[in-house]
Amino acid sequence: MKLDYKKTFILGLGFFAISILWPVYNAFVPIMLEQYTKKATVIGMIMTIDNLFAVAFQPIFGAMSDRTNNRFGRRMPYILIGVPISALLFSIIPYTTSLITLMLTIIIMNFTMSIYRAPTVALMPDVTPSPLRSKANGVINFMGGLAAAVAYAIGGILYRMNPSYPFHMSSIIMVIALIILYTFIKEPRDFRIEEKKKIEKVKDIEKNKSLIFILFAIFFWFTGFNAVETFFSLYGQYVLNIDPGRASIVLSLFSVSFLLFAIPAGFIGTKLGRKKTIFTGIIGALIFFIPLIFVRNAVLVSILLVAGGIFWALININSYPMVVEMAPKGGVGTYTGYYYFFSASSAVASPILFGFIKDIVGSYESLFLYSCIAFLAALLCMFYVKHGDVSVENYDEEKRLAIEENYGD
């Protein structure tokens, strides 16, 4: 059984379209907000709207897409509605002339993004045989990382030319990706939702326990990651004694190593097994993050972060396929919503929690200690995950043939 890389890269365009928007949004919207308010707390609260909407709405639309059945498919109706409206609103953002109009545009745009984010991601397990989902998720995350690199590199150049250009670039790419996705990706023709049988109740209880523990593991390792991502520039300034620009470059090395190792992480997860790969990733991340509690040299920090990014790929690439592997037939969108509920919840809670801790201890030196504790909590949760793995060798040939019949070539 081989992964259809052409189809997977085309599918990755959906994730590319999602990912190219957020770097531009995070980089330039705070600058616009500062024209109307100098209060960093207010700006920070506004900038967390996307995560709050992800927590509130993505599980809803993911579940709704499971139960949608029309001539456009299950996921595609939400993508066809959400992407064009989001692209249009994103292009309008630089032309707003007051805090009220800017806020209104941001809120509606974040809502329309929530309409299609979970259904877009759910397309991957829909059209990919179960044993190959780690490989496919590696490709898709690579596309997302590539989108972020494009947004940061080209967006900065375009912003100097005209502040509205990065927004237009992202919107145009989103629409082009939508057209390609709609043209080349066929949705399944089988819309049946699995009905539970009484004899499966014990198995379902065990599977639900595994689901709960992996979702909390996801929450904890994103808790560790989000704190570092949010506060590293301040950590660099006050602990490493480097300027914020250099701190940003140092942290970007973590993202680059994750990007370069995204596809290999999928291969490793397929060969070694998802749970073992995630265990390896967490332990490896801890091995390289624990020294960061004590190291104060920017060069050594950079080296440790590069290694940490590799192990972060092992964790991140294989976790989503484990979650949707536990989904009943027809429930992939719902379980995708669960995944984003827990990952987005950590993005809301972790910066606030670490900020509170920093205010108590009075220093950013505890950043990586906080991160390591969160990763240890994730490791503990993973011990109780008993489901979510599948091997190519044990995969039922009938299931493979059914996928080809339902999803097309």
Side-chain angles (χ1 to χ4, degrees), residues 202-238:
V202 175
K203 183 179 179 181
D204 289 340
I205 291 171
E206 290 299 319
K207 189 178 288 187
N208 288 338
K209 286 181 180 178
S210 291
L211 174 66
I212 290 169
F213 278 109
I214 193 171
L215 289 174
F216 274 105
I218 289 165
F219 175 85
F220 284 124
W221 65 56
F222 273 110
T223 293
F225 170 77
N226 284 317
V228 173
E229 185 181 44
T230 303
F231 290 100
F232 189 80
S233 59
L234 291 168
Y235 176 86
Q237 182 176 350
Y238 293 110

Side-chain angles (χ1 to χ4, degrees), residues 323-402:
V323 172
V324 295
E325 186 63 35
M326 301 179 205
K329 184 178 178 62
V332 167
T334 301
Y335 278 54
T336 300
Y338 294 159
Y339 176 88
Y340 280 102
F341 176 88
F342 279 82
S343 60
S345 293
S346 71
V348 174
S350 186
I352 297 172
L353 177 59
F354 178 75
F356 177 73
I357 292 171
K358 181 268 170 188
D359 289 340
I360 293 175
V361 301
S363 171
Y364 288 99
E365 291 185 349
S366 60
L367 178 62
F368 283 99
L369 174 60
Y370 170 92
S371 181
C372 288
I373 291 172
F375 274 97
L376 282 170
L379 183 65
L380 180 63
C381 289
M382 284 301 299
F383 278 106
Y384 298 95
V385 178
K386 308 298 182 183
H387 296 270
D389 253 322
V390 67
S391 66
V392 176
E393 291 78 10
N394 297 330
Y395 195 65
D396 192 336
E397 182 69 10
E398 291 183 7
K399 292 182 180 179
R400 185 187 67 81
L401 293 173

